[in-house]
Amino acid sequence: RLVESGGGLVQPGGSLTVSCVGRGRMFSLNRMAWYRQRTGRERELVAAVAPITADESTDYADSVKGRFTISRDNVPNTLSLQMNNLKPEDTGVYYCNGDPPFGKPDGTGELWGQGARVTVSS
């Protein structure tokens, strides 16, 4: 199960952090990522972090590079995304998941949480 939190309303140029908590060993053993879904668009990966066995290296989408920072804490299983200098085009619902996304235990599709809504507006 993946539970996101920390979304909200922020003015352009502001900062916000979203966090995610998961159960089990999925966090510590896997590459983890933040995705977002903007209105009318497909869900996209914005940031990813490798497991500690791979030095926790990070990757970012070009649109957020230099503004967003992904981090993980395997004790407890927490994934965070610090977002600075937010822009209106960052508005969307932010989800955490593995990279690639985890599947549901029953095999019926991908496992997604409820997401954290971020709105950047003046």
Side-chain angles (χ1 to χ4, degrees), residues 58-121:
T58 57
D59 290 295
Y60 297 93
D62 288 343
S63 58
V64 306
K65 200 171 292 184
R67 300 188 297 121
F68 289 13
T69 302
I70 187 172
S71 61
R72 65 189 300 159
D73 187 347
N74 293 331
V75 181
N77 292 334
T78 304
L79 186 74
S80 298
L81 184 69
Q82 171 69 42
M83 302 179 287
N84 297 325
N85 190 23
L86 282 160
K87 304 176 180 181
E89 52 264 41
D90 294 318
T91 295
V93 182
Y94 286 72
Y95 302 88
C96 74
N97 211 322
D99 179 24
F102 300 121
K104 292 180 180 178
D106 60 8
T108 58
E110 295 177 342
L111 177 68
W112 293 96
Q114 82 287 350
R117 181 171 295 278
V118 173
T119 302
V120 185
S121 176

Side-chain angles (χ1 to χ4, degrees), residues 35-67:
Y35 302 77
R36 72 181 175 193
Q37 187 158 25
R38 296 181 281 182
T39 301
R41 301 191 184 190
E42 293 186 357
R43 188 151 34 201
E44 59 179 335
L45 187 150
V46 295
V49 57
I52 193 170
T53 53
D55 297 327
E56 297 187 349
S57 59
T58 57
D59 290 295
Y60 297 93
D62 288 343
S63 58
V64 306
K65 200 171 292 184
R67 300 188 297 121

